[in-house]
Amino acid sequence: MSHSVAAGEQVSLDAVVKKFTSLLSATPYKEHDIKAITNAGLTLMKQLPVGRNAVLSYFGQRFDEAANRYLQYRVDKVKGDVFSANQYNEQAAYESLSLISNGFLSLITDPYWSLQFSQWAIDLLGHISKKLNSSNAAPLVTSTSTVEEKLELWMGCSATKLLIEIITSCFSVVVDKPSSVDVCVDKILEASIQYSPHFDWVVAHLGSCFPKTIIDRVLIAGYKDFISPSPQGSSKFSSAAAILNYLSGQHKTTARNCIISYYQNALNQPPPTAASAVTFLLNTLSLSNTMVPIITSDIGAIINVQMLNKLAAHYLVGAHDFCR
């Protein structure tokens, strides 16, 4: 399916470009006709791929500004600034932004648009989530804030809630298409590194919607970072452990099956891989208070005497080579 303009559509395309730009400049920014702009913007993206980034940038700006207002409202509320807090209107923010998200959702039955919009929304959520790292948001979170606390904060915000709905809907379209879902999951994991630890709540929420897919991929990503830590010092392993901890509490059976399957496969690999998999498992368990109970009863299926002897032999050979 083509997603670019056809020759016969050039006249109407010129009209769409003029309409979109005129709508942006005709009134003060805060009074923009969001419904008309959304319709014109969606048509422009479909007919003129080169203009897609500009349209998405405008829509992203609307979500970003709504998130800023929400955070300021929450800070004012914590500080007891009742007057400022009362100026915030969450319902108005939702009504405006839902016009944009509904426009996106009307296109995502096409896997092409699902990938486009999911990647845009993931990047935007990462950018917004990182705002918690600023001094202005200090009253809302601490270095020990849990994934659950971040979920509570951001799911109360229309901007981030609607972005999550866009991503979830996009996932639903491509979840049975391995190559497409891999693109989406890889984008999420990239964002989890770039915006760690502020993006963990997004992965945790999506994991609740697609537990097996997310848990499987997070295990792989966490293991890779564990054996080859990022040179930038941003640990995907730490984020993976936090996400697995959360999802293990919400989806015990799925988490148990995914973890056991992962380690049984890993332990059938050559000794170096098996040894690092065991170390990864133990380190992950040490950071989780929910994984331990669901795995303890099955630990014998993962690490048995035969496997321990195999690993011991590997380490003895390594120690002998080192001493020589």
Side-chain angles (χ1 to χ4, degrees):
M1 181 183 293
S2 174
H3 299 279
S4 59
V5 62
E9 296 175 335
Q10 186 62 50
V11 175
S12 62
L13 176 57
D14 290 340
V16 170
V17 172
K18 290 178 180 178
K19 181 177 182 179
F20 183 73
T21 55
S22 65
L23 285 168
L24 295 183
S25 59
T27 60
Y29 181 81
K30 66 180 180 180
E31 298 175 7
H32 279 175
D33 185 340
I34 298 300
K35 185 174 183 178
I37 290 175
T38 298
N39 291 336
L42 292 174
T43 301
L44 185 58
M45 286 194 292
K46 287 187 288 185
Q47 295 190 2
L48 186 65
V50 72
R52 189 170 300 148
N53 288 341
V55 175
L56 289 175
S57 177
Y58 170 80
F59 290 146
Q61 189 176 0
R62 302 301 304 224
F63 279 88
D64 186 46
E65 292 179 349
N68 285 338
R69 291 192 295 271
Y70 170 77
L71 285 178
Q72 187 58 54
Y73 156 71
R74 291 292 297 256
V75 170
D76 290 338
K77 194 173 180 181
V78 169
K79 291 182 175 180
D81 187 345
V82 179
F83 177 78
S84 296
N86 286 341
Q87 304 305 305
Y88 178 73
N89 189 335
E90 179 66 27
Q91 183 60 33
Y94 178 82
E95 290 174 358
S96 175
L97 296 177
S98 63
L99 293 173
I100 300 174
S101 67
N102 288 339
F104 284 11
L105 295 177
S106 70
L107 294 180
I108 65 165
T109 51
D110 181 341
Y112 172 83
W113 289 110
S114 291
L115 291 177
Q116 294 292 316
F117 292 148
S118 64
Q119 293 185 72
W120 168 80
I122 289 166
D123 278 333
L124 185 54
L125 268 180
H127 168 73
I128 291 174
S129 297
K130 200 169 184 178
K131 293 177 186 292
L132 287 182
N133 196 38
S134 70
S135 57
N136 293 335
L140 302 179
V141 294
T142 67
S143 59
T144 59
S145 292
T146 64
V147 173
E148 292 89 340
E149 289 170 333
K150 294 175 187 177
L151 272 168
E152 185 278 328
L153 174 68
W154 285 121
M155 291 306 285
C157 172
S158 292
T160 46
K161 184 176 181 179
L162 287 169
L163 287 171
I164 277 286
E165 289 177 1
I166 290 172
I167 298 172
T168 303
S169 297
C170 290
F171 258 64
S172 297
V173 172
V174 302
V175 72
D176 294 325
K177 301 174 177 62
S179 60
S180 295
V181 79
D182 279 350
V183 171
C184 290
V185 172
D186 286 343
K187 186 68 176 179
I188 289 173
L189 295 175
E190 288 172 9
S192 74
I193 299 173
Q194 182 178 357
Y195 300 108
S196 178
H198 311 291
F199 197 75
D200 291 352
W201 73 274
V202 179
V203 186
H205 179 81
L206 292 173
S208 294
C209 299
F210 309 95
K212 185 179 186 307
T213 300
I214 297 297
I215 292 173
D216 281 342
R217 294 299 305 227
V218 167
L219 279 167
I220 294 171
Y223 172 72
K224 287 181 178 178
D225 187 74
F226 179 75
I227 60 174
S228 300
S230 169
Q232 288 77 30
S234 180
S235 174
K236 189 186 292 186
F237 167 69
S238 296
S239 291
I243 294 164
L244 291 170
N245 183 57
Y246 176 79
L247 293 179
S248 295
Q250 301 296 314
H251 301 275
K252 294 182 176 62
T253 301
T254 301
R256 171 188 171 279
N257 292 339
C258 288
I259 293 169
I260 290 176
S261 176
Y262 173 80
Y263 283 105
Q264 285 178 332
N265 290 334
L267 294 176
N268 286 325
Q269 301 301 312
T273 301
S276 58
V278 171
T279 307
F280 171 59
L281 171 62
L282 296 176
N283 276 270
T284 305
L285 291 175
S286 73
L287 297 175
S288 173
N289 57 9
T290 59
M291 288 177 63
V292 173
I294 67 172
I295 291 299
T296 301
S297 60
D298 298 289
I299 198 71
I302 301 176
I303 307 174
N304 52 36
V305 174
Q306 181 181 3
M307 179 54 61
L308 289 175
N309 288 334
K310 183 179 179 181
L311 296 178
H314 166 68
Y315 281 120
L316 286 173
V317 171
H320 176 70
D321 291 340
F322 177 79
C323 291
R324 287 196 304 175

